[in-house]
């Protein structure tokens, strides 16, 4: 069995280096590719800043008469970004003048530079080479949480512009149509566009929110029941040319019949980790993808049996609480992930089930939670009979004390289903009458599975069969208690789950009406939040 090494996966997304380190510059191939690089328009034209954190100021400036001011707060790092068209397999140089504490300049999915403290303007420089099929790059600036306002000026991206001689856009997609609706999603199809070179993908647009698609169909999730929505579709080619929008198509979501007796628990909740990997502004991700829930990681122990974020940040009064408030203000919610692969866990540190239940209750009370997830991994929790039983009993206690609370167990798996420790966990959940709502497996790190779709379906079916035999459920009842928590792109074992594979897994999950769908992690889902958008189309 292999389990998840969360912090090791996908670390290539951002490598931060101290101020003053300058890589050897390349020969300039073109003028600055960025628009409004010195903010001399007096506006943020060309740039998109998180929330309302960005503004243009007249002082202090590095050159000209204007500069960017980014108001970083305890809950927002004031990220401002711009996307440009680039050439594949080509070297570029990015430079910028910044001042303030922990100001970052970088390329999404690539390298970043930062300065820890600069009272005057300081130059940051980095070089990067685009991927073999990369046609766009997102340049970003941001400060750091709680470090106050930073300034940036005279940003330059030097290199050849993308597109070459291809300036012809694809034709507009034809005959867009709704092919299915639920209370929270609309499925669409359309006729393919044509292009002089070739269409590389499509985008479904609703109220400014974009759902990417590689083929001629997509499901847009995170919608409101009994509501009419209007969609258009546009095509893109390798040169970055975008087609005109299709004719609009309008569809109305289905009726939400309300909870009723024994409502199903359904949740699409990708992981968001504030302790690593340049965490994005959750509200921006929600607007871009339609996702409503996040699994926020990780609640660990501090000084014994005391729950905190990452064993260091308090439950209340910090960046984590501010992010929860921002997510809820945007119409979403969170489920905390308690535990994980590494760190100081509550399960082993709380001596009794009653003390552990008390720790869980502190988390529930801090945020008025609807659900909690205990991510049980490694030898200290998953492979300990005593800790397994302690966690199950504690969850039984908090569920009895919090009517309506949903409880989730997340744990590793083999490619055939639960291993012996997973089987024991399920059997003990039955024996202790823990009334767990969802058993979520992590179908990856199988040792190098070549077909991640088949491996995920096999392991999930194995979990369903174990729940069916243990609890005496039907197939449908067992699937309703099943969850999948995947890993986007490369796993620690080198297995690759592409957006296409993740879409197939989601569609299989919808067809079998499982209860929960998640992946690790939004932090790694850059630059277009493609896996998050796919996950938002989970309807259960």
């Amino acid at each position: 069995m292999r389990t998840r090494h969360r912090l090791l996966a996908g670390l290539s997304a951002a490598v931060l280096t101290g101020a003053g380190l300058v890589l050897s510059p390349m020969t300039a191939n073109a003028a600055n590719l960025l628009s409004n690089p010195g903010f001399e328009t007096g506006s943020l034209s060309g740039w998109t800043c998180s929330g309302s954190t960005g503004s243009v100021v007249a002082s202090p400036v590095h050159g000209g008469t204007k500069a960017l001011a980014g108001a970083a707060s305890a809950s927002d790092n004031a990220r401002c970004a711009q996307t440009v068209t680039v050439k594949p397999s080509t070297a570029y140089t990015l430079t910028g003048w910044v001042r303030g504490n922990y100001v970052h300049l970088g390329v999404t999915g690539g390298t970043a530079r930062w300065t820890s403290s600069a009272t005057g303007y300081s130059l940051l420089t980095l070089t990067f080479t685009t991927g073999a099929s990369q046609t766009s790059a997102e340049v970003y600036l941001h400060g750091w949480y709680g470090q106050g306002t930073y300034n940036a000026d005279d940003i330059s991206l030097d290199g050849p512009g993308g597109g070459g001689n291809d300036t012809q856009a694809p034709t507009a997609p034809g005959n867009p149509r709704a092919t299915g609706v639920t209370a929270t999603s609309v499925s669409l199809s359309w006729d393919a566009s044509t292009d002089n070179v070739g269409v590389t993908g499509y985008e479904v647009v609703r109220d400014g929110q974009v759902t990417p698609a590689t083929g001629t169909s997509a499901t847009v999730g995170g919608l409101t029941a009994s509501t009419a929505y209007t969609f258009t579709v546009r095509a893109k080619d390798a040169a970055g040319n975008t087609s005109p929008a299709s004719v609009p198509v309008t569809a109305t979501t289905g009726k939400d019949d309300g909870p009723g007796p024994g409502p199903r628990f359904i949740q699409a909740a990708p992981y968001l980790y504030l302790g690593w990997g340049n965490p994005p502004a959750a509200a921006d991700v929600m607007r871009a993808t339609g996702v409503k829930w996040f699994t926020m990681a990780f609640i660990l122990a501090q000084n014994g049996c005391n729950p905190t974020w990452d064993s260091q940040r308090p439950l209340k009064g910090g960046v984590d609480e501010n992010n929860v408030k921002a997510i809820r203000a945007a119409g979403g919610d969170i489920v905390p992930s308690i535990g994980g692969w590494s760190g100081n866990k509550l399960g082993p540190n709380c001596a009794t089930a009653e003390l552990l239940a008390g720790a869980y209750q502190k988390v529930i009370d801090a945020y008025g939670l609807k659900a909690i997830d205990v991510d049980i991994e490694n030898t200290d929790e998953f492979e300990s009979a005593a800790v397994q039983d302690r966690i199950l009993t504690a969850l039984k206690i908090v569920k009895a004390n919090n009517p309506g609370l949903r409880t989730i167990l997340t744990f590793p798996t083999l490619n055939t289903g639960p291993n012996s420790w997973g089987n024991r966990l399920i059997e003990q959940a039955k024996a202790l009458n823990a009334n767990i709502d969802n058993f979520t497996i992590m179908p990856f790190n199988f040792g190098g599975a070549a077909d991640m779709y088949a491996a995920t379906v096999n392991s999930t079916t194995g979990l369903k069969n174990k729940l069916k035999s243990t609890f005496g459920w039907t197939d449908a009842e067992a699937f309703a208690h099943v969850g999948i928590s995947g890993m986007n792109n490369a796993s620690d074992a080198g297995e690759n789950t592409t957006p296409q594979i993740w879409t197939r897994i989601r569609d299989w999950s919808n067809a079998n009406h499982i209860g929960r769908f998640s992946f690790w992690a939004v932090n790694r889902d850059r630059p277009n939040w493609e896996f998050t958008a796919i996950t938002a189309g989970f309807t259960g």
Side-chain angles (χ1 to χ4, degrees), residues 353-485:
E354 290 72 21
L355 289 172
L356 182 57
Y360 293 163
Q361 191 65 51
K362 289 179 182 178
V363 184
I364 295 165
D365 292 343
Y367 302 113
L369 295 173
K370 300 180 180 70
I372 62 171
D373 168 43
V374 177
D375 188 331
I376 177 170
E377 302 186 46
N378 219 325
T379 56
D380 56 348
E381 289 195 313
F382 186 58
E383 297 180 12
S384 168
V387 176
Q388 277 197 8
D389 291 354
R390 189 178 303 154
I391 289 171
L392 290 166
T393 304
L395 288 173
K396 179 179 179 179
I397 292 170
V398 295
K399 191 160 189 181
N401 291 337
N402 299 271
L405 180 75
R406 302 292 194 164
T407 54
I408 305 159
L409 284 173
T410 299
F411 53 99
T413 184
L414 301 173
N415 59 5
T416 54
N419 69 357
S420 60
W421 285 105
N423 286 333
R424 183 194 184 278
L425 184 69
I426 293 167
E427 291 161 3
Q428 286 299 100
K430 166 70 171 176
L432 296 171
N433 194 25
N435 194 19
I436 302 299
D437 290 284
N438 188 274
F439 297 85
T440 295
I441 54 169
M442 298 181 290
F444 51 83
N445 286 356
F446 295 125
D451 186 341
M452 286 302 287
Y453 172 77
T456 300
V457 168
N458 289 342
S459 60
T460 308
T461 302
L463 171 62
K464 180 266 295 184
N465 290 336
K466 179 61 180 178
L467 295 176
K468 181 180 177 182
S469 63
T470 301
F471 291 93
W473 290 333
T474 64
D475 283 332
E477 289 171 332
F479 268 130
H481 290 81
V482 161
I484 291 174
S485 182

Side-chain angles (χ1 to χ4, degrees), residues 11-17 110-114 140:
L11 285 180
S12 62
V15 180
L16 304 182
T17 309
T111 312
R113 296 289 181 266
W114 62 280
Y140 66 83

Side-chain angles (χ1 to χ4, degrees), residues 494-516:
E495 303 145 340
N496 190 28
T497 300
T498 64
Q500 293 76 19
I501 291 172
W502 191 237
T503 300
R504 292 178 65 199
I505 293 170
R506 181 208 60 194
D507 292 346
W508 180 87
S509 300
N510 283 339
N512 286 280
H513 307 298
I514 74 169
R516 190 165 183 264

